Amino acid sequence: MMKKDRRQNIFYGILALFFSLVLFFIASGSSLQVDLSGAVNAYQEEIEAVPIQTVYDTDDYFIQGFETTVNVTLSSRNRVQLNAEKNEETRSFRVVADLSDLTVGTHEVPLEVQNISSSVTAEIEPKTVTVTIEKKVTKTFTVEPVVSTEDDSSGYAIDTMVASPQEVTLTTGEKTAADIDRVVAVIDPDDIPNDSGTVSAVIEAWDINKNPLAIVADPDTVDVAITMEAPTKDVELFVTQQGTLPAGISHYIYRMSTISAALTGPQEILDQTAQIGVPVDISGITSTTEQTVQIPAPDGTTVNPTEVTIQITPVAQIVDESSESGSDATGDTAPATTATDSAISADQESSQESVEGSTESETDSTN
């Protein structure tokens, strides 16, 4: 009898334990589901522009026409491991497009995440890429320097451009190579100096419509020596008299070897310059003299010719003959010519000579 009661107690105990477990799982089922859901999406990070690594026969084939990066969304409950995969320097995973079993043509290739930590999951967007596979060819081409845009308000113009080296080796697909019309070294206009200099230019291959083609260039940049031609305008020259008039001299007559010069420099300076004054020191000059004077060009410009020869003819003061009282008084002194009046052209030489032959005419020319 005792054995039967004991067996019954054991049975009821097991039954009670079973129902207790059932009630426990019923009560905690929803929270367990939440925990399991949270285990997948506890932390999430989106990584943009993850490089796509392609697997193919690089000796025989050239590939092109595909997006080289994708976006990857990482999820994990392990924050430390998630951060490690997010950081490019500590990342273990890679996105791969396997082309090894494909032939020449255009294909849609699935992307795969490899080597990712077991505690991290990844979603790729987009999940496939379209790739064009061509037979690989390598050729040598002559480089032509070009400027990407030529919107230049400075007035400077490019005289010559010479690339160094003048030839580059291009690796591309067989069909793409047949479409190459020009191989150019593209110069950024912001890099062009205002005078001669050397800039770095990126190699591109263009088709007949100037569309860039897929190539690998060796080298991928070249140095381009540029000779610039600055804008030029003719400006008027005039004498700016300096120094002190000697005693007995009324003024001077100037004859310049040229009355104009070619000014070269930035357009904004040329726009502001119509004349250049040539300084002449008349201190101590009492007889006809010639001076060779440097033409002062504005800063940042050059002038041609760089100097001008000026003949300087002094004009004596006129004695007032109406004063016959025995005094030594002299008449009024004619004022010296102004700087503008002193600029006499070669076309005026004949009239100027007549002025020099008559004291009265010389005086009149300054009034």
Side-chain angles (χ1 to χ4, degrees):
M1 187 70 179
M2 291 294 294
K3 291 182 179 180
K4 183 178 180 180
D5 291 339
R6 185 176 298 175
R7 285 196 298 268
Q8 288 179 340
N9 290 337
I10 293 173
F11 171 75
Y12 289 131
I14 293 173
L15 186 62
L17 177 61
F18 171 76
F19 282 112
S20 297
L21 291 173
V22 170
L23 291 174
F24 171 78
F25 283 113
I26 291 174
S28 61
S30 59
S31 62
L32 180 60
Q33 184 177 3
V34 172
D35 289 343
L36 290 173
S37 175
V40 177
N41 300 309
Y43 302 106
Q44 211 172 62
E45 293 286 350
E46 183 173 344
I47 310 174
E48 296 181 349
V50 177
I52 298 174
Q53 299 184 24
T54 52
V55 179
Y56 67 102
D57 184 352
T58 57
D59 293 331
D60 292 335
Y61 297 103
F62 181 85
I63 63 173
Q64 60 159 310
F66 66 98
E67 294 292 336
T68 58
T69 63
V70 292
N71 297 332
V72 178
T73 300
L74 301 178
S75 302
S76 178
R77 292 192 66 188
N78 188 327
R79 186 74 208 185
V80 174
Q81 190 64 50
L82 184 66
N83 288 338
E85 294 291 358
K86 176 186 176 183
N87 191 328
E88 187 175 359
E89 296 180 356
T90 58
R91 182 181 303 163
S92 63
F93 81 89
R94 62 176 186 164
V95 178
V96 176
D98 190 351
L99 317 177
S100 55
D101 294 331
L102 302 178
T103 58
V104 171
T106 301
H107 308 272
E108 186 172 354
V109 183
L111 298 176
E112 179 184 358
V113 175
Q114 295 181 353
N115 301 335
I116 195 166
S117 169
S118 59
S119 63
V120 180
T121 60
E123 289 290 332
I124 308 171
E125 183 60 38
K127 294 179 171 56
T128 62
V129 291
T130 301
V131 180
T132 298
I133 304 175
E134 297 181 57
K135 280 289 187 179
K136 181 178 179 180
V137 295
T138 300
K139 291 184 177 181
T140 299
F141 294 84
T142 301
V143 176
E144 176 188 350
V146 297
V147 180
S148 58
T149 61
E150 297 186 10
D151 182 16
D152 185 8
S153 60
S154 68
Y156 281 80
I158 296 175
D159 186 16
T160 61
M161 296 189 294
V162 179
S164 178
Q166 296 184 356
E167 291 186 341
V168 294
T169 300
L170 302 187
T171 299
T172 186
E174 190 173 47
K175 182 179 181 302
T176 302
D179 292 335
I180 295 177
D181 180 62
R182 302 163 66 189
V183 175
V184 296
V186 182
I187 301 166
D188 187 335
D190 293 336
D191 295 337
I192 297 176
N194 283 341
D195 51 13
S196 300
T198 300
V199 300
S200 179
V202 178
I203 297 298
E204 290 185 3
W206 290 354
D207 64 14
I208 195 170
N209 296 317
K210 297 185 178 180
N211 297 313
L213 300 172
I215 53 99
V216 175
D218 182 23
D220 57 1
T221 62
V222 295
D223 292 331
V224 179
I226 301 177
T227 303
M228 301 298 295
E229 183 178 352
T232 299
K233 69 177 285 188
D234 287 336
V235 295
E236 179 186 348
L237 302 179
F238 65 93
V239 171
T240 59
Q241 182 172 291
Q242 299 179 356
T244 304
L245 283 170
I249 300 300
S250 168
H251 60 277
Y252 293 88
I253 297 172
Y254 303 100
R255 183 177 290 115
M256 307 174 71
S257 59
T258 180
I259 62 167
S260 66
L263 184 65
T264 301
Q267 189 63 48
E268 59 181 12
I269 298 180
L270 299 190
D271 292 341
Q272 298 170 5
T273 307
Q275 297 177 315
I276 295 178
V278 181
V280 174
D281 187 356
I282 48 81
S283 300
I285 296 179
T286 57
S287 61
T288 299
T289 304
E290 281 192 355
Q291 287 186 9
T292 299
V293 184
Q294 292 289 323
I295 301 173
D299 290 342
T301 67
T302 59
V303 65
N304 184 34
T306 59
E307 58 186 24
V308 61
T309 300
I310 303 174
Q311 184 185 80
I312 308 167
T313 303
V315 178
Q317 290 178 337
I318 301 173
V319 177
D320 187 354
E321 296 178 354
S322 64
S323 177
E324 297 179 354
S325 61
S327 65
D328 294 332
T330 60
D332 294 338
T333 300
T337 57
T338 65
T340 303
D341 292 338
S342 65
I344 302 174
S345 68
D347 293 338
Q348 296 172 316
E349 287 188 2
S350 59
S351 61
Q352 180 61 35
E353 290 173 356
S354 65
V355 171
E356 292 177 350
S358 170
T359 303
E360 184 177 355
S361 297
E362 292 166 354
T363 305
D364 292 342
S365 68
T366 62
N367 293 332

